[in-house]
Structures are given as structure tokens and as C-alpha cells.
Amino acid sequence: MMTTNYPLAVQKMFATVPTLLTATPIFKLTVTMVVKAAHVSRGSFYSHFQDIYDFIHAFEHALIEQATVSKQVLNQGIQAALVHPDPRNAYPTYLELTTNINTQLASFQALLGPHGDPQFLDQFQAGLIDNLLATTEQAPLNHQYFQSIPADYAMPIYFSGVLAIIQHWLTKPHPEPPEVVANIIVQSRYTAAYHLFSDRPLGDDIN
């Protein structure tokens, strides 16, 4: 269950969503489906949510909140980068991010799956940017990273790439451990795109 401040009944209802989405598109879920699967009363549902759409919104918000990287880890990464700019300084940040996601892997996979919410990925990216950009902007010396492109442009560009890696990870039949994905993010984000490919001539693959 989610490590949030939600009451136990709400956590039970949230926990039913991945299973329900294996057969039912998210916007065809009903209150009856949720309370029956969670073994809670309709009264319990309506004491927390106005309707099924309010429930879905709260579920998605809780997942994004679950992935949030702590300010302590973010600040440590920023300070380390200021002292010694090294791609490896970002690893703890992405390790916490991928570890947090992994604790609710089934829920993230369900929302990104064929019966999930097509808008969830955009919401997730916006949440990540809010989480990480807020701390970045609070570090005055860190503005050196945004001399060429304004931060409000640079961060979406940057995190669209991060999110593409996470999305690929979550849609794999057998996802790698969080630490492997964190390392992939660090290596790819700090390597020019053309350096990710082999420099062998195409003819080498034919022979």
C-alpha cells in the first residue's frame, strides 16, 4: 500500500486500481467496482471522495506524490554539483526517484498501460518539474546551469528525456531494478545523443 497519510480504507481502494485496470479502462471504473474489490462500504468511499473522478484524481496525485524526491537529497545533489560538477552527483536523486516509483510499480504500470490514463504521463512530468525545479531555483549559484536557455524551457526539455526512460522502464515485461535505471538516466542525460550510438560503419553489421 502507499506510504501516505491517507486512511487505511482509502489505501485499500487505491490498491485495487491496478487489478481493476487489467480488464476495465480507467474512465469506465465505477464506485461499485472499487468498493467491492476493496471490501469497503459505499459510505466509506463517499466520506473521502465526491465521485469516481475525484477518486481517480486523488489516486494519480498520490502516485505522483509517492515519487517525489526529498528536499534533503535534492539539496545534497545541488551542493555536490556546485563543488565538483560530475554526472555521478545526480545519481542519488534518480535512485530515490526510481526507488519511490518501484514501491508502486504495479500502479504506475497500470496508469501507463492500455487501460490507463493517457494524460497521466504529462501530469507526472509536471509533478517532477515542480518537485525538482523548485529546489534548483532556490540555489542562487545553480542559475549558472540556465545561462543559455531559461529554466522554464530547459527543465521540460531535460525531463522529457528522463520521463521517456522511465516510461520505457515501466512498460517492459521485466523491468530492471531501480538502481540500474537510475544509472541509465544519469549516463544518458549527461551524454550527447550521438555518443549513445556506435561509431562503427553500417557495413560492419552486414558482414
Side-chain angles (χ1 to χ4, degrees), residues 50-71:
Q50 295 181 356
D51 50 34
I52 192 66
Y53 301 106
D54 186 35
F55 169 78
I56 292 170
H57 174 77
F59 172 71
E60 294 179 341
H61 175 78
L63 279 184
I64 294 172
E65 185 180 65
Q66 179 82 21
T68 298
V69 179
S70 67
K71 289 184 178 180

Side-chain angles (χ1 to χ4, degrees), residues 60-180:
E60 294 179 341
H61 175 78
L63 279 184
I64 294 172
E65 185 180 65
Q66 179 82 21
T68 298
V69 179
S70 67
K71 289 184 178 180
Q72 179 181 359
V73 169
L74 289 172
N75 284 326
Q76 288 174 348
I78 289 172
Q79 294 305 316
L82 292 174
V83 174
H84 179 57
D86 188 312
R88 289 170 294 185
N89 291 328
Y91 179 78
T93 297
Y94 292 117
L95 178 59
E96 181 165 319
L97 173 64
T98 54
T99 299
N100 290 346
I101 292 172
N102 195 60
T103 62
Q104 296 297 324
L105 186 63
S107 293
F108 277 97
Q109 289 178 321
L111 282 178
L112 295 174
H115 289 164
D117 181 357
Q119 298 180 347
F120 177 70
L121 199 63
D122 289 338
Q123 296 174 31
F124 185 30
Q125 176 170 297
L128 284 180
I129 292 173
D130 286 345
N131 174 210
L132 303 178
L133 179 58
T135 304
T136 301
E137 290 186 326
Q138 290 169 7
L141 294 177
N142 213 47
H143 285 284
Q144 63 182 299
Y145 296 120
F146 302 113
Q147 289 179 350
S148 300
I149 302 176
D152 59 330
Y153 284 89
M155 295 301 274
I157 293 171
Y158 179 85
F159 283 107
S160 64
V162 172
L163 211 62
I165 295 171
I166 291 175
Q167 183 181 18
H168 178 69
W169 172 47
L170 294 176
T171 53
K172 295 184 69 171
H174 304 289
E176 294 90 348
E179 57 270 18
V180 173

